Amino acid sequence: LFNELRTKQQLGYIVQAYFDKGYSVHPHPEAPMTTPVDLIAINVLSRKLSPPEVAERVDEFLVSFRTILETMPASEITDHADSLSQKLLKPIQSLSSEASMQFRRIQLYCPELVSTTDLMPWDSVQSVARAVSGITRQDLLSAWDRMVLDQRQRSRVLSMVYGNTFPLDTTSKSTTSQKVVVNDVRKLLQVRSTLDFYDNSIRKPRSILSQFVRASPFRSRTTLAAA
């Protein structure tokens, strides 16, 4: 992502992406109290293009990246996997880093452990490192299809921050029923209060949610574009 959008296209000074996991908490009696939500966050700060144009460039990359995975030499995949595995196992250098890592682990696993007798997986880093070291091309393709290109399940949230270079047009109106235009926090909270809880184990109509987060044919869980 950085190489394509930052180096080649020179889209902006800041281009970054990372994987994260969130939880949807809900009281539905037919489902667990929490539902894990995998997400890919992409942050771009640009003075070259407007936020909608940045989002289009991100979309193009998300679609084209699968071809990159398909054609990437096997040796390169192995090198990346080994490098990441070794980085995960690198000794922690400070108390603050140790505290941050342990707090993040508690934040991730506690919602799933609160109603069980399972123990906290304090060795999760070692487990992840072992899994990463053995990753294959098919593993990467399957994960990319599931998280990014599966139009039946995946959704995207766009957070566009406008500045002096590309000011927000507050007079714009929605031209299609597939979008909801939100120009202030009050309206955002109103729309948010109408949304269903995210739950991939219970399928039910999500018309308003679909209008709000499915404005693009290709979606990652979270995409942030700022200018």
Side-chain angles (χ1 to χ4, degrees):
L1 178 74
F2 184 90
N3 182 59
E4 177 63 31
L5 300 186
R6 172 69 173 86
T7 305
K8 294 183 179 180
Q9 299 188 29
Q10 298 185 349
L11 200 59
Y13 180 72
I14 296 176
V15 176
Q16 56 186 210
Y18 59 89
F19 168 82
D20 203 353
K21 182 183 290 289
Y23 285 93
S24 171
V25 181
H26 53 85
H28 200 289
E30 298 181 13
M33 186 176 67
T34 58
T35 300
V37 181
D38 293 329
L39 61 91
I40 297 175
I42 300 175
N43 303 323
V44 179
L45 176 63
S46 175
R47 292 184 179 273
K48 182 178 179 180
L49 298 176
S50 67
E53 292 174 310
V54 170
E56 290 180 4
R57 295 293 184 88
V58 171
D59 278 345
E60 292 171 359
F61 171 81
L62 293 176
V63 176
S64 64
F65 186 67
R66 195 184 197 283
T67 301
I68 296 176
L69 290 176
E70 290 175 334
T71 58
M72 182 179 295
S75 59
E76 186 173 346
I77 294 177
T78 301
D79 290 343
H80 282 306
D82 291 342
S83 177
L84 179 56
S85 179
Q86 293 174 15
K87 183 178 180 180
L88 289 170
L89 296 175
K90 185 178 179 180
I92 298 174
Q93 301 298 316
S94 68
L95 180 60
S96 60
S97 297
E98 173 77 19
S100 296
M101 184 186 73
Q102 300 300 352
F103 180 79
R104 180 57 176 163
R105 179 179 284 113
I106 293 171
Q107 185 181 36
L108 282 175
Y109 291 105
C110 264
E112 293 300 301
L113 298 177
V114 66
S115 59
T116 72
T117 58
D118 295 337
L119 299 177
M120 181 70 67
W122 298 111
D123 62 343
S124 58
V125 172
Q126 290 77 8
S127 299
V128 171
R130 288 194 297 269
V132 167
S133 64
I135 204 165
T136 66
R137 185 193 311 277
Q138 188 54 51
D139 292 332
L140 296 173
L141 291 173
S142 297
W144 196 253
D145 290 342
R146 176 178 61 86
M147 294 193 63
V148 178
L149 300 183
D150 188 347
Q151 300 181 40
R152 299 167 300 175
Q153 299 186 56
R154 299 303 88 192
S155 297
R156 180 181 67 173
V157 175
L158 281 172
S159 176
M160 298 185 178
V161 181
Y162 290 78
N164 294 330
T165 306
F166 298 99
L168 174 65
D169 180 8
T170 59
T171 63
S172 64
K173 302 295 182 181
S174 177
T175 58
T176 171
S177 61
Q178 297 301 312
K179 297 182 181 180
V180 175
V181 178
V182 178
N183 293 328
D184 58 65
V185 175
R186 181 184 58 82
K187 186 174 181 181
L188 174 62
L189 293 176
Q190 289 178 347
V191 173
R192 179 181 177 183
S193 67
T194 65
L195 303 181
D196 292 334
F197 290 106
Y198 176 81
D199 187 350
N200 56 12
S201 65
I202 298 178
R203 299 299 178 191
K204 52 185 176 179
R206 297 190 300 170
S207 57
I208 298 179
L209 178 62
S210 299
Q211 293 174 11
F212 188 58
V213 301
R214 297 189 176 181
S216 171
F218 301 103
R219 303 176 296 280
S220 59
R221 170 56 54 190
T222 303
T223 303
L224 306 179

